Amino acid sequence: MRWDGDKVSELLDFTRVEKSNPATWTGTGIFDPSGEVSGARNATTFYGDPLGDWREEGLAGTAEHSALRLCATTEPTEARHCTLARTAAYRLGRTVRGCPQSTYTDYCLGAGTPVCRGRRSPSRKEPSPVTTTRRAFGALAAGAALAALAPATTVSATPRHRRLIAHDDFRHGLGRWAVELEKGGTVTASRGILEVDVPAGATVWFKKRIEGPYVLEYTATPVSAGGVNDRVSDLNNFWNAVDVRSPDDLFATRRGGALAEYDYLKTYYVGYGANSNTTTRLRRYVGEAGVRPLVYDYTEPLLVPNEPNRVRIVSDGSRVQWWSNGRLVFDYSDPEPYTSGHFAFRTTWSHFRISGFRVWQLPPQQR
């Protein structure tokens, strides 16, 4: 993707733009939009040069799936080129390979290359440079038009203005997480993916305590590719969790990953079903052994192999919501709410790939 103004291409990973360093084979993030999610195959819905100044823009859906955003760079450039779509190879690549695939011009466009005027008739005027102001206006106009065409959700849980208070792009290991495994398995975080591949119970805690009100989001895909743990079952969550045996420090009490060990939590719990678990359930744990009060129990939605699930959890005072792929699955008003605590991914005998973990603080006007 060509994002900034130096004519050297950048890396587009999910919705994040990175500047590549070929000497070290590493990338440095230069643009990472909040509140957006990638689509199929962890790619943006589209990227290309619709604004027409040779640099490319990315189109992605918002996390609540109610609108599309067109993101354009605001970096000025002295380089002047015709729009990339003027070249036949670029148009052909976009048509044949599809919108999320890399496409190329039929000439060299890189560091030190001369200006390309493109193939045009003699009557056409020289393309004028597009200023930062015009790019920004074009992005806003395109975004507004696309948002008007996008289907609106009946109940929206995501505020227009929010502050990011926690996140992990899963590129730097498990330093922000605590893993509890019943019978071993592997849990890794690298290259933008938290991968959980386990033969029995597993709980992966976010170490930072989260204070409400907030919105938490992530995308999880159940893997079914013939692996020994590719059973497609149990995409579960704890949130606002407190262990009654050590209420000031969740991690002061040791747990080994078996489900019964979590009965001593005061927490909300969702079990997203599939396979032998034939329902999707919301529970409100009360911190007593053997007691897991059931709030709701539905026969659908259920997990589908290799299909991403974009989950959103809302903790807003007495209001508790759990969404999947833009659908409000659970909407619960708790007379004695749990308003803060720890979040965890929970599963058993399964294989998941998780990305896009974000937590936003809800501002007062949204409460």
Side-chain angles (χ1 to χ4, degrees), residues 91-254:
R91 296 195 304 272
L92 181 63
R94 185 65 65 209
T95 303
V96 174
R97 302 181 68 182
C99 294
Q101 296 289 335
S102 297
T103 52
Y104 303 97
T105 57
D106 54 8
Y107 57 89
C108 179
L109 178 57
T113 56
V115 171
C116 170
R117 303 301 186 189
R119 299 183 180 91
R120 61 191 187 283
S121 65
S123 61
R124 289 191 179 180
K125 295 181 179 180
E126 186 66 23
S128 60
V130 180
T131 65
T132 298
T133 302
R134 287 177 60 195
R135 289 179 62 83
F137 177 78
L140 289 172
L146 291 166
L149 296 174
T153 305
T154 304
V155 181
S156 178
T158 306
R160 294 180 181 175
H161 304 286
R162 55 188 183 180
R163 181 171 62 90
L164 187 68
I165 58 173
H167 74 284
D168 197 341
D169 59 7
F170 301 124
R171 296 179 182 279
H172 307 288
L174 293 168
R176 298 178 181 177
W177 301 86
V179 179
E180 298 168 351
L181 300 177
E182 183 180 6
K183 296 181 180 178
T186 59
V187 178
T188 59
S190 64
R191 300 180 65 84
I193 298 293
L194 174 67
E195 186 145 7
V196 182
D197 189 356
V198 292
T203 305
V204 184
W205 291 103
F206 190 57
K207 291 180 180 179
K208 180 181 177 181
R209 182 185 176 101
I210 304 173
E211 303 287 336
Y214 62 81
V215 175
L216 183 152
E217 298 171 345
Y218 67 88
T219 299
T221 302
V223 178
S224 180
V228 65
N229 298 320
D230 294 3
R231 193 172 64 101
V232 185
S233 184
D234 293 282
L235 173 59
N236 308 334
N237 295 137
F238 294 120
W239 71 96
N240 292 351
V242 174
D243 195 315
V244 297
R245 297 167 295 183
S246 54
D248 295 328
D249 183 0
L250 181 78
F251 305 109
T253 301
R254 292 185 55 118

Side-chain angles (χ1 to χ4, degrees), residues 11-351:
L11 302 174
L12 177 63
D13 191 12
F14 295 85
T15 59
R16 172 186 169 99
V17 181
E18 296 183 350
K19 194 70 176 175
S20 177
N21 184 341
T24 60
W25 289 83
T26 59
T28 302
I30 58 175
F31 179 71
D32 191 4
S34 63
E36 296 182 4
V37 293
S38 55
R41 297 180 290 112
N42 294 323
T44 56
T45 304
F46 167 87
Y47 80 89
D49 187 20
L51 299 187
D53 79 333
W54 74 265
R55 291 179 292 176
E56 294 175 297
E57 294 77 45
L59 181 69
T62 57
E64 67 272 20
H65 306 287
S66 64
L68 296 172
R69 288 180 184 166
L70 185 68
C71 297
T73 183
T74 58
E75 297 185 30
T77 180
E78 297 297 324
R80 298 178 63 181
H81 291 267
C82 62
T83 176
L84 301 184
R86 183 168 289 183
T87 64
Y90 190 87
R91 296 195 304 272
L92 181 63
R94 185 65 65 209
T95 303
V96 174
R97 302 181 68 182
C99 294
Q101 296 289 335
S102 297
T103 52
Y104 303 97
T105 57
D106 54 8
Y107 57 89
C108 179
L109 178 57
T113 56
V115 171
C116 170
R117 303 301 186 189
R119 299 183 180 91
R120 61 191 187 283
S121 65
S123 61
R124 289 191 179 180
K125 295 181 179 180
E126 186 66 23
S128 60
V130 180
T131 65
T132 298
T133 302
R134 287 177 60 195
R135 289 179 62 83
F137 177 78
L140 289 172
L146 291 166
L149 296 174
T153 305
T154 304
V155 181
S156 178
T158 306
R160 294 180 181 175
H161 304 286
R162 55 188 183 180
R163 181 171 62 90
L164 187 68
I165 58 173
H167 74 284
D168 197 341
D169 59 7
F170 301 124
R171 296 179 182 279
H172 307 288
L174 293 168
R176 298 178 181 177
W177 301 86
V179 179
E180 298 168 351
L181 300 177
E182 183 180 6
K183 296 181 180 178
T186 59
V187 178
T188 59
S190 64
R191 300 180 65 84
I193 298 293
L194 174 67
E195 186 145 7
V196 182
D197 189 356
V198 292
T203 305
V204 184
W205 291 103
F206 190 57
K207 291 180 180 179
K208 180 181 177 181
R209 182 185 176 101
I210 304 173
E211 303 287 336
Y214 62 81
V215 175
L216 183 152
E217 298 171 345
Y218 67 88
T219 299
T221 302
V223 178
S224 180
V228 65
N229 298 320
D230 294 3
R231 193 172 64 101
V232 185
S233 184
D234 293 282
L235 173 59
N236 308 334
N237 295 137
F238 294 120
W239 71 96
N240 292 351
V242 174
D243 195 315
V244 297
R245 297 167 295 183
S246 54
D248 295 328
D249 183 0
L250 181 78
F251 305 109
T253 301
R254 292 185 55 118
R255 291 168 296 270
L259 183 60
E261 298 181 55
Y262 299 91
D263 287 355
Y264 295 97
L265 299 180
K266 286 187 174 181
T267 185
Y268 299 111
Y269 168 89
V270 160
Y272 197 179
N275 210 310
S276 58
N277 279 333
T278 58
T279 63
T280 294
R281 307 160 302 286
L282 172 65
R283 297 183 184 272
R284 182 183 181 277
Y285 282 43
V286 294
E288 300 178 19
V291 180
R292 304 170 193 165
L294 183 65
V295 179
Y296 298 119
D297 191 20
Y298 300 147
T299 56
E300 54 91 27
L302 300 174
L303 293 169
V304 177
N306 301 315
E307 289 292 326
N309 299 274
R310 299 171 182 88
V311 173
R312 180 164 77 249
I313 296 171
V314 178
S315 175
D316 188 7
S318 62
R319 190 80 175 272
V320 179
Q321 295 181 337
W322 195 88
W323 301 63
S324 178
N325 291 333
R327 172 181 176 178
L328 180 58
V329 180
F330 300 119
D331 190 2
Y332 174 54
S333 293
D334 189 349
E336 299 180 7
Y338 304 142
T339 58
S340 65
H342 287 273
F343 168 83
F345 299 110
R346 167 75 192 177
T347 191
T348 184
W349 188 17
S350 61
H351 184 184

